[in-house]
Amino acid sequence: EQDACRGGLDEQLGIIDPKIIICLGRIAATSIISPEFKITREHGQWFEVNGRMCMAIYHPAALLRDESKRPETFADLREIRRALRDYTYVYRKD
């Protein structure tokens, strides 16, 4: 399933050319960030991949199954918000 969708995803990334990508869950992160990505260890960290800032957070389904992951995810979301604000500020000035 992942392999079947990857070509379409790469095509969309080429068209949209996002500067920031947020992966929802380990499967997305192993496809985009690194095949060896460990969500419990590396969520909330920024990685540069092909000139793009990438971060993975827990998949929403994981948060429904395990509420103890929610505080970490909220911290990750705050970091994403901070990065978006900084990015917007930098690029509005140019």
Side-chain angles (χ1 to χ4, degrees):
E1 188 176 325
Q2 182 179 357
D3 292 338
C5 295
R6 186 57 200 227
L9 176 62
D10 289 338
E11 184 178 336
Q12 290 176 26
L13 291 174
I15 294 168
I16 298 168
D17 193 24
K19 303 303 179 219
I20 296 175
I21 297 174
I22 307 302
C23 300
L24 300 181
R26 181 186 61 83
I27 302 300
T30 58
S31 177
I32 293 178
I33 297 173
S34 167
E36 292 83 33
F37 190 88
K38 304 294 183 202
I39 191 76
T40 55
R41 223 180 356 199
E42 298 175 299
H43 71 87
Q45 297 177 36
W46 289 108
F47 298 86
E48 186 178 336
V49 179
N50 298 325
R52 297 181 172 102
M53 301 264 306
C54 299
M55 177 191 287
I57 63 174
Y58 287 111
H59 191 280
L63 301 174
L64 292 173
R65 286 191 305 270
D66 185 355
E67 291 183 11
S68 70
K69 291 178 172 40
R70 290 182 183 180
E72 295 173 81
T73 301
F74 291 138
D76 295 346
L77 291 170
R78 283 191 295 274
E79 169 56 23
I80 293 167
R81 181 176 61 185
R82 183 208 59 76
L84 288 171
R85 284 181 179 160
D86 290 351
Y87 179 81
T88 301
Y89 177 74
V90 167
Y91 285 96
R92 277 192 186 158
K93 293 181 97 177
D94 293 338

